[in-house]
Amino acid sequence: MGLAVRRNPRRAHLLVSAVLGKHVPTDPRLVYGSGLLLGELVRARLRGEAPSHPGSLLSDALDGVPGAPVGLRDFMRAPRVPVDAIVLGYAETATALGHSVADALGGAYYLHSTRRPVPKFEAYGGFEEEHSHATSHLLLPDDPSMLDRDVPVVLVDDELSTGRTVLNTIAALHAVRPRRHYILAALVDLRGSADRARMDDLADRLGTRIDAVALAGGHVELPEGILEAGQELVAGLSGGSPDTGRAPSSEESRASPPQAGPSRAGLSRARLEWPAGLPDGGRHGFLPEHRRRLEKDLARMADVLAAGLGDVSRVLVLGFEELMYAPLRLAEALADALPDVDVRYSTTTRSPVLAVDDPGYAIRTRLVFPSHDDPADGPGERFAYNVAPGSGQRGFDQIVFVVDDVGDTTALADGLLERLRVLAPVLVATVPAHGRDS
């Protein structure tokens, strides 16, 4: 875990995961393998058995041992006894992580929350994320009956800090349909004793069972006045108001390429020929048969991407906000297809974070660009972290941006793509958004 400072009056700090693939470009095999490992902890808990353990592969992968990310991924996707469950992932950070947990279970139905209302889809429920700058989550299943089954519910997030978000979710779900068993799954569990007691109290009140599993545990001590101190730090380092979410002065110049001046590299497009009818992710539900269909076509689509690359040795596959799983699996397949190329994966985000170009700080650079998918809450700034190289870092030879057709707009072309082209040639791969009117 790394540490950064949020531009958020509700929460001062951001814990930056080394295996999530959100804010830090990461080997996609490490990202997927870590998600499968978390899913194995869930599967073993549901079956009442000891989980399969990859030995030192995870720590080796984090230490940069050659071959360890592939070894971790391959070990964790070995066939195991499947279990049925409903897996819910949190937008936007944990959408691919939740997918990976569902993949590990083998027989699970997956749905992630979304902040994108979609015509014709009625909300099954909604809940609030206490510390987020954008709080409202919607559940928009294509088939609501998949959520009305008497099977365990697994709630997946990148971290459990206080657990309030998952308690909101459980309360909302239980009000619609009571359930006998919930499991919380996170990369890291940072809850204190009071937070754990609050979860136990909710379980007693609802007459249900709530378990929690995580790849790591720990605690964070926050001094008095941390929110105010964080805002002052943001203002002091960026030279502007801490509440604007903007990155002026030195931070802007380091992290966001200017609109005029630098030359632009090339822009091209890849025709993936996404399988007809296959959802682009879990916004409206994703079944085991969807995963099997996707995996049949991954190698073919990776070859399409590889054919669009130049003479490269370091490539970033960049996803789009909630659209994390399809870019992750494409990046994983591309890395397998190009073993001599360093393929990394990360995604854009709504979350405003302070960038400081220091080797000990988790968010060294940021790109700032306008939203490009006509968001329901109105236009706003979006961000891509650690895509531009920090001082002394090597940049990417080419960037593959994977976006759904809702986000493939003129605002994208004039905004993010222009900023990326200052850094490297850009290859755009567009996937059809499931549920969108043709």
Side-chain angles (χ1 to χ4, degrees):
M1 304 292 293
L3 187 65
V5 178
R6 293 177 184 261
R7 293 175 169 272
N8 181 349
R10 298 187 181 198
R11 196 181 190 192
H13 68 286
L14 173 70
L15 295 176
V16 181
S17 171
V19 300
L20 183 64
K22 186 66 177 177
H23 306 94
V24 180
T26 307
D27 188 314
R29 281 81 58 97
L30 172 57
V31 175
Y32 191 50
S34 299
L36 293 177
L37 177 56
L38 180 60
E40 170 59 11
L41 298 185
V42 173
R43 191 196 69 85
R45 181 65 61 92
L46 290 173
R47 286 186 51 81
E49 62 188 35
S52 300
H53 196 280
S56 66
L57 285 171
L58 177 57
S59 59
D60 288 347
L62 289 168
D63 289 339
V65 175
V70 177
L72 173 67
R73 188 272 315 267
D74 291 348
F75 179 85
M76 295 316 308
R77 69 179 181 183
R80 294 176 176 87
V81 178
V83 296
D84 190 9
I86 297 167
V87 179
L88 301 178
Y90 287 93
E92 63 178 38
T93 305
T95 58
L97 180 63
H99 261 291
S100 304
V101 168
D103 288 354
L105 298 186
Y109 168 78
Y110 179 63
L111 180 74
H112 69 70
S113 66
T114 182
R115 295 189 178 102
R116 180 194 285 179
V118 181
K120 302 187 301 183
F121 287 89
E122 183 177 349
Y124 181 89
F127 51 92
E128 299 296 310
E129 186 173 6
E130 298 290 342
H131 62 256
S132 176
H133 64 285
T135 56
S136 296
H137 291 248
L138 298 172
L139 297 178
L140 302 177
D142 203 348
D143 181 2
S145 68
M146 294 300 297
L147 294 176
D148 289 329
R149 300 176 299 127
D150 187 18
V151 296
V153 173
V154 182
L155 302 119
V156 183
D157 210 351
D158 59 318
E159 69 174 77
L160 291 174
S161 51
T162 65
R164 288 192 178 96
T165 299
V166 293
L167 296 187
N168 288 340
T169 310
I170 290 172
L173 292 174
H174 212 77
V176 176
R177 189 194 192 285
R179 303 168 194 278
R180 292 181 291 177
H181 194 186
Y182 298 89
I183 294 184
L184 317 181
L187 294 175
V188 60
D189 187 347
L190 302 170
R191 293 173 301 151
S193 57
D195 301 319
R196 296 171 190 270
R198 190 182 304 114
M199 187 185 75
D200 293 339
D201 289 343
L202 178 63
D204 291 341
R205 259 195 339 268
L206 299 180
T208 190
R209 174 184 172 187
I210 305 176
D211 293 329
V213 299
L215 295 188
H219 69 280
V220 175
E221 295 182 3
L222 300 176
E224 292 291 331
I226 184 65
L227 291 177
E228 294 79 6
Q231 293 291 289
E232 292 174 3
L233 181 63
V234 167
L237 289 179
S238 63
S241 168
D243 297 321
T244 63
R246 296 188 58 82
S249 69
S250 61
E251 188 193 5
E252 187 81 41
S253 65
R254 282 191 180 276
S256 293
Q259 290 299 296
S263 61
R264 266 60 167 174
L267 175 68
S268 56
R269 288 183 172 268
R271 294 178 58 88
L272 289 178
E273 297 185 5
W274 187 261
L278 178 66
D280 57 309
R283 180 178 285 116
H284 305 301
F286 204 85
L287 296 165
E289 50 263 39
H290 292 145
R291 175 176 56 83
R292 290 190 286 269
R293 283 190 59 202
L294 173 62
E295 290 179 342
K296 287 181 180 178
D297 278 81
L298 276 177
R300 175 190 59 78
M301 291 189 287
D303 287 343
V304 172
L305 295 179
L309 301 177
D311 183 14
V312 296
S313 61
R314 196 162 191 261
V315 173
L316 174 66
V317 178
L318 184 65
F320 162 49
E321 296 184 25
E322 294 178 8
L323 184 69
M324 294 185 68
Y325 182 69
L328 170 61
R329 300 306 307 275
L330 288 168
E332 176 201 3
L334 183 64
D336 288 342
L338 302 174
D340 295 328
V341 176
D342 180 13
V343 177
R344 299 296 173 118
Y345 156 81
S346 63
T347 76
T348 64
T349 178
R350 285 171 163 250
S351 300
V353 182
L354 178 71
V356 179
D357 192 2
D358 184 280
Y361 187 76
I363 303 296
R364 296 186 62 176
T365 67
R366 75 174 193 166
L367 303 180
V368 186
F369 54 94
S371 55
H372 51 88
D373 61 341
D374 190 23
D377 56 352
E381 290 183 330
R382 300 296 187 261
F383 312 93
Y385 297 112
N386 294 314
V387 174
S391 300
Q393 292 182 317
R394 181 187 171 194
F396 293 101
D397 300 321
Q398 194 156 352
I399 298 169
V400 179
F401 183 58
V402 182
V403 63
D404 62 23
D405 51 9
V406 174
D408 192 359
T409 61
T410 300
L412 170 67
D414 295 340
L416 174 60
L417 296 185
E418 284 294 288
R419 286 157 172 78
L420 293 177
R421 290 175 61 204
V422 172
L423 305 174
V426 177
L427 177 65
V428 178
T430 304
V431 300
H434 182 62
R436 186 189 190 195
D437 290 335
S438 59

